[in-house]
Amino acid sequence: MGSIIHTAAYGLARGGKNASQTSADILWHTSAGYYLELIANRSTVYEKHADAVEGRAEYYRQLSSEKLAREVKRLRIALKKEGFSFNSVAETFALIREYGRRCLNMNHYRSQLIGGKVMLDGMVAEMETGEGKTFTATLPAITAALAGMRVHVVTVNEYLARRDSEWMEPLYSGMGLSVAAIRQSLNVAERRRVYESDIVYCTNKEIVFDYLKDHLETQAIRGPAALAVERLCSGDVQQRRIAGGLCFAIVDEADSIFIDEAVTPLVISGEGNNQFEQTVYAAALMLADSLVKDVSYTVDTYDRQLQLTPEGCRQLERRGREMAGIWAGRRQREFLVEQALRALHLFQRDRHYVVVDDRVQIIDLYTGRILEGRSWENNLHQMIECKEGCPLTGSRENLARITYQRFFRRYQRLAGMTGTAREVRRELWNVYNLPVVEIPSRKENVRRKLKTRFFTTESEKLAAIVESVKRFHGEGRPVLIGTPVLAVSEKLALLLRKNGMECRVLNALQDKQEAEIVAMAGQSGQITVATNMAGRGTDIVLGPGVEALGGLHVIATEMHSAARIDRQLFGRCGRQGDPGSCQLFISFEDDVLGGLRRSVFGGWLKQGIKSSNPLSRVVLFVSAKILQLQLERQGAVTRRLLLRQDEQLEKTLSLSGKGE
């Protein structure tokens, strides 16, 4: 409960709107008695902590390198004896700050000192884009490592894990700590050596799969007696583990990993044979293609629901008698044709998947990245491979599985950092027991948000975006265009080039050039078209003279299914007090408005937008926000059901040793 009290006290001390938001959150998950106690005491331990750290700065600055090294040894002993006491943590943070100044020529700001303490206390620090979350994470990571805890810094992709570990390595090694990053190409022995480091940078997927591999290695060992026998017969089982224990995790882009990527379980599968021949999938696709929409089957692309009608079942029954064999069985026949219909109507190339080197690879709709090694279940993946003319992969047998929700709750201590967490703070608390604390920005945000523009069709909207880009490009300002869908990014890039404007594209097909593309995105006259992958873990620095021109301009081509992802995109501009502007373009054909198009008001709104009716625009914007909120709630329900299903499955399989 102490961490929650600190959260509320910090919010109340800040005052204003943010204070009321934070206190409302506390009312949501604490008793009235605690809340009244917090009102009476408006001071915060975080402000006092920052004061204590800054008060020790001059003392450490005057010490020689040898004396600083002795201070590291002293604090290592103090942290192991006293734990994370106020004085020992403040002294450690001050020492880290001095080493940062000497080793990296970087100084932790006050906001970073507060953010580091928030994470060390096991919370999520919400810090604005450009506030230096990577550098902030060194404070809790080093403090915990000196206390004897193995630290995992978890991030969204391998490039960031490698970049951050190499960037911060002089600071870690200067304080006598080892650091390394997990890469996909490492073998088992190399992974073991990396995990023996004091601080390990890794992706969420890599650490979960290594944990599951450890589980498979020891799944037959149940209880202390069996473990003792195993040690006597085969040596210490810990030596065969890859990842080892789960002590302290600091999760970068916490909302992306805890929320966006938690919609599907992580599964280790074994190779298997194709359940059906390619001719069977081809026949299913042929049958599906012969059926008539709304007569033989119903499909809702907005809710992603598809079902055969009684008439469709009768048609398949007649065809099944003619084809015989596997098609004579009703359940098998209807199952295959429904999967074929889903492959044809619910899964689109360059939106839900890409085809690279004759392989169907799934696209993460939230990040725009390729999900390496993932496949759809129940023969759907093979059906899509047949649809695209790719070689069929074998069906797979599940050996072990776990959800992100259950995995991260296994850490002894868990913390996170992100720029967008307040929208999902309730889910973070309910699922992970993680409060969210908003960290004040170091500099005032001067980002300008331009008026939202409305259009009836996607083609009109894209044409208007091209004209808008032409205007800002003519001023010499860099422009970043964010699109939720890969296909739209390619279409928009083609339109820009046809209008004489060269641009760089960052999507699932160009992810290997991400660092180079992002590094250039803030240069004068640069145009970058990107899917959501550019909104996570990247820092766009303004080039020479760009600040005087007005900074980076960000265009959102449509609203995403989650408001915080829109906020993440707009956060690419106006970082650390830099100038910048952003604008949202909405068309009546956008995915998020699918529910509105089917409503009784759909026709009236479309006509109102076409005739530039101000009331229609207000209604459309409000409706879009409501639909966006509904999609967010649906996502939360899906994740909650997945967690319950995973927990129930674990109970069911616990006696057999399977599951996780």
Side-chain angles (χ1 to χ4, degrees):
M1 189 63 69
S3 63
I4 300 173
I5 292 175
H6 295 163
T7 305
Y10 176 70
L12 290 169
R14 288 176 60 191
K17 180 180 178 182
N18 290 331
S20 63
Q21 287 178 339
T22 308
S23 60
D25 292 344
I26 298 306
L27 278 174
W28 159 60
H29 54 56
T30 59
S31 66
Y34 277 113
Y35 182 62
L36 292 174
E37 178 185 344
L38 294 170
I39 296 243
N41 181 15
R42 294 175 66 88
S43 64
T44 168
V45 69
Y46 295 114
E47 296 292 346
K48 291 179 179 178
H49 162 78
D51 291 339
V53 174
E54 290 175 338
R56 290 168 169 81
E58 189 59 34
Y59 169 74
Y60 284 125
R61 183 167 295 190
Q62 295 175 358
L63 295 182
S64 64
S65 299
E66 292 76 15
K67 289 183 178 179
L68 274 183
R70 286 200 291 270
E71 284 294 299
V72 172
K73 293 179 180 178
R74 180 183 68 82
L75 286 173
R76 189 189 288 267
I77 295 171
L79 287 167
K80 290 180 178 179
K81 283 184 176 180
E82 304 171 14
F84 298 139
S85 65
F86 181 89
N87 288 331
S88 60
V89 169
E91 285 188 279
T92 304
F93 274 33
L95 190 60
I96 297 168
R97 197 185 195 201
E98 179 59 25
Y99 267 100
R101 189 182 67 84
R102 297 189 186 190
C103 298
L104 296 173
N105 197 28
M106 297 170 66
N107 195 49
H108 290 93
Y109 301 118
R110 185 178 181 87
S111 60
Q112 293 173 324
L113 298 176
I114 294 173
K117 183 63 166 65
V118 165
M119 286 187 276
L120 189 65
D121 283 349
M123 307 188 211
V124 173
E126 182 179 274
M127 304 177 70
E128 288 288 340
T129 301
E131 289 294 313
K133 292 188 286 292
T134 300
F135 193 41
T136 303
T138 60
L139 293 165
I142 292 174
T143 304
L146 290 175
M149 302 178 74
R150 289 282 173 85
V151 180
H152 295 160
V153 183
V154 185
T155 189
V156 292
N157 64 68
E158 187 177 305
Y159 159 72
L160 292 175
R162 186 175 65 254
R163 182 202 70 179
D164 294 350
S165 65
E166 293 173 354
W167 185 13
M168 297 296 129
E169 193 273 337
L171 172 57
Y172 293 131
S173 59
M175 299 192 70
L177 298 172
S178 56
V179 60
I182 290 291
R183 300 191 305 276
Q184 190 175 3
S185 59
L186 298 180
N187 59 37
V188 172
E190 291 168 334
R191 285 171 181 270
R192 237 181 240 121
R193 285 195 293 272
V194 170
Y195 280 117
E196 288 173 356
S197 303
D198 297 307
I199 299 166
V200 177
Y201 283 78
C202 57
T203 66
N204 46 305
K205 186 180 75 171
E206 293 293 333
I207 182 64
V208 172
F209 280 132
D210 286 339
Y211 172 84
L212 288 178
K213 290 171 187 174
D214 286 343
H215 172 73
L216 288 174
E217 181 68 32
T218 59
Q219 67 176 356
I221 305 173
R222 295 286 175 174
L227 185 60
V229 171
E230 172 69 17
R231 285 175 174 169
L232 285 173
C233 298
S234 307
D236 192 351
V237 71
Q238 296 294 337
Q239 294 178 0
R240 302 204 305 272
R241 289 180 177 268
I242 301 174
L246 304 179
C247 297
F248 183 27
I250 301 171
V251 181
D252 192 11
E253 302 302 342
D255 63 312
S256 178
I257 293 174
F258 288 148
I259 304 299
D260 298 338
E261 299 198 28
V263 293
T264 54
L266 280 298
V267 179
I268 287 185
S269 304
E271 290 290 342
N273 297 321
N274 283 327
Q275 185 178 355
F276 303 109
E277 297 290 338
Q278 185 155 0
T279 53
V280 174
Y281 295 116
L285 288 167
M286 180 193 67
L287 285 172
D289 198 42
S290 68
L291 298 178
V292 180
K293 182 181 177 183
D294 297 330
V295 176
S296 307
Y297 64 93
T298 58
V299 59
D300 185 343
T301 54
Y302 180 71
D303 291 327
R304 302 189 61 73
Q305 298 293 325
L306 186 145
Q307 189 174 14
L308 286 168
T309 64
E311 175 59 27
C313 293
R314 285 192 290 271
Q315 291 175 5
L316 290 179
E317 184 179 5
R318 290 193 293 270
R319 296 293 301 274
R321 285 197 295 266
E322 297 171 3
M323 299 170 68
I326 194 175
W327 304 103
R330 180 179 63 85
R331 290 186 179 179
Q332 196 80 282
R333 177 179 64 233
E334 292 177 4
F335 165 75
L336 284 168
V337 173
E338 280 191 344
Q339 291 296 74
L341 287 168
R342 290 187 178 94
L344 290 171
H345 301 292
L346 296 182
F347 292 86
Q348 302 173 28
R349 184 169 177 168
D350 292 339
R351 180 180 290 265
H352 302 101
Y353 64 90
V354 292
V355 178
V356 181
D357 298 329
D358 282 338
R359 291 172 54 218
V360 171
Q361 296 182 295
I362 302 173
I363 296 177
D364 187 333
L365 295 179
Y366 286 96
T367 65
R369 300 181 187 278
I370 290 176
L371 297 175
E372 289 285 351
R374 303 280 187 94
S375 61
W376 287 293
E377 296 179 321
N378 298 323
N379 302 107
L380 177 61
H381 201 87
Q382 287 77 17
M383 195 71 73
I384 293 175
E385 286 173 333
C386 185
K387 164 190 165 184
E388 296 293 345
C390 299
L392 296 187
T393 56
S395 59
R396 305 182 68 84
E397 177 189 359
N398 292 351
L399 302 177
R401 60 169 272 164
I402 193 172
T403 57
Y404 281 126
Q405 293 97 319
R406 283 208 306 132
F407 170 75
F408 281 109
R409 293 191 304 190
R410 285 181 172 1
Y411 276 94
Q412 296 175 18
R413 185 178 292 258
L414 182 63
M417 52 185 178
T418 181
T420 49
R422 71 179 75 117
E423 292 90 345
V424 290
R425 58 183 179 270
R426 287 169 173 78
E427 187 171 353
L428 290 174
W429 170 256
N430 287 331
V431 176
Y432 301 97
N433 199 28
L434 284 173
V436 175
V437 178
E438 295 177 45
I439 308 301
S441 300
R442 186 169 65 92
K443 293 183 179 180
E444 183 183 358
N445 191 323
V446 294
R447 182 189 310 124
R448 292 186 303 116
K449 190 167 184 179
L450 306 182
K451 288 184 178 180
T452 301
R453 297 186 63 184
F454 302 90
F455 304 89
T456 54
T457 66
E458 183 184 79
S459 58
E460 292 176 356
K461 178 182 69 175
L462 294 181
I465 289 173
V466 170
E467 288 301 314
S468 179
V469 172
K470 188 180 295 184
R471 178 167 64 87
F472 286 102
H473 183 65
E475 297 172 0
R477 291 179 61 182
V479 180
L480 172 66
I481 308 169
T483 68
V485 181
L486 183 148
V488 175
S489 70
E490 296 287 339
K491 186 187 299 184
L492 194 50
L494 183 61
L495 285 174
L496 289 168
R497 288 166 183 150
K498 283 183 177 179
N499 282 267
M501 292 177 285
E502 277 302 314
C503 63
R504 308 193 76 177
V505 180
L506 177 58
N507 57 37
L509 300 178
Q510 290 86 24
D511 58 348
K512 292 184 180 178
Q513 293 86 37
E514 177 174 351
E516 179 188 354
I517 294 174
V518 172
M520 295 295 295
Q523 301 301 309
S524 177
Q526 183 67 48
I527 302 173
T528 308
V529 183
T531 51
N532 296 321
M533 63 192 306
R536 292 291 180 180
T538 57
D539 195 10
I540 299 176
V541 181
L542 299 183
V546 172
E547 185 174 343
L549 297 173
L552 177 69
H553 180 64
V554 175
I555 293 175
T557 60
E558 61 182 277
M559 293 173 66
H560 199 277
S561 56
R564 61 195 162 77
I565 300 179
D566 294 333
R567 191 156 64 90
Q568 183 78 22
L569 174 63
F570 289 149
R572 297 299 94 201
C573 65
R575 55 180 291 278
Q576 291 192 25
D578 288 342
S581 56
C582 57
Q583 189 170 27
L584 171 64
F585 287 70
I586 296 178
S587 88
F588 199 68
E589 295 178 349
D590 290 349
D591 286 347
V592 75
L593 297 175
L596 186 61
R597 288 195 296 272
R598 297 176 300 173
S599 71
V600 294
F601 302 103
W604 174 81
L605 276 175
K606 185 175 182 179
Q607 188 59 38
I609 296 300
K610 194 171 184 178
S611 60
S612 301
N613 185 338
L615 178 60
S616 297
R617 296 185 178 191
V618 173
V619 173
L620 180 63
F621 185 77
V622 173
S623 300
K625 283 292 184 182
I626 293 172
L627 289 169
Q628 190 179 54
L629 182 60
Q630 289 177 350
L631 289 172
E632 291 173 349
R633 288 175 176 171
Q634 288 174 10
V637 170
T638 300
R639 291 185 292 271
R640 187 161 59 247
L641 291 175
L642 175 65
L643 178 58
R644 289 177 183 172
Q645 179 189 32
D646 200 44
E647 290 172 341
Q648 184 60 42
L649 184 63
E650 176 65 16
K651 292 177 183 177
T652 304
L653 298 177
S654 58
L655 294 178
S656 67
K658 294 184 179 181
E660 180 278 321

